[in-house]
Amino acid sequence: MNKNTKINALLLLVVAALAVLPLALGLGDGEKEPFTGADAQAETAITEIDPDYEPWFSPLYEPPSGEIESALFALQAALGAGVLAYYFGLRRGRRQGELRATAGGGGAESGAGETTARRT
């Protein structure tokens, strides 16, 4: 096992632990909604401090249910991850192409010469 494989396995274990440990340790037991987002917790805290508080802005679109809101958030995250993956893949492909072009001494022309040499 090389160094990169060990690092990737360790990172995977850390991510799995971060996902499983709060559930296994029972964090959030006894709360109405144990794993709510920071926005909901902030709204609850503000309402407890000042019950007459009026927000400055209202959302442009409010989904009809929490499930739809979660689905839209997941879609947004997936689109962002896709854009980042495309960008990094494009950068890596260009870098590899440049390395092949400089190492091969001309890229496609040297490859064509090799196939001609094999035929004869």
Side-chain angles (χ1 to χ4, degrees):
M1 198 186 280
N2 66 14
K3 184 179 179 181
N4 286 337
T5 306
K6 289 179 184 177
I7 291 172
N8 287 339
L10 180 64
L11 288 174
L12 185 62
L13 286 172
V14 168
V15 168
L18 285 174
V20 173
L21 281 177
L23 298 172
L25 296 175
L27 300 177
D29 286 348
E31 294 182 22
K32 184 178 175 184
E33 293 182 30
F35 298 107
T36 59
D39 293 342
Q41 291 176 353
E43 183 179 347
T44 303
I46 291 170
T47 306
E48 287 175 0
I49 293 170
D50 184 9
D52 298 328
Y53 175 77
E54 290 289 326
W56 293 0
F57 299 100
S58 62
L60 297 175
Y61 170 70
E62 189 144 350
S65 70
E67 290 84 9
I68 294 174
E69 185 177 358
S70 295
L72 290 174
F73 183 75
L75 178 64
Q76 176 186 359
L79 287 172
V83 168
L84 284 175
Y86 174 78
Y87 171 74
F88 286 119
L90 185 67
R91 273 189 53 198
R92 183 176 182 178
R94 285 183 179 171
R95 189 171 6 111
Q96 287 178 347
E98 290 173 359
L99 289 174
R100 286 182 185 157
T102 57
E109 293 141 7
S110 65
E114 289 175 10
T115 54
T116 309
R118 289 183 192 159
R119 290 184 189 163
T120 55

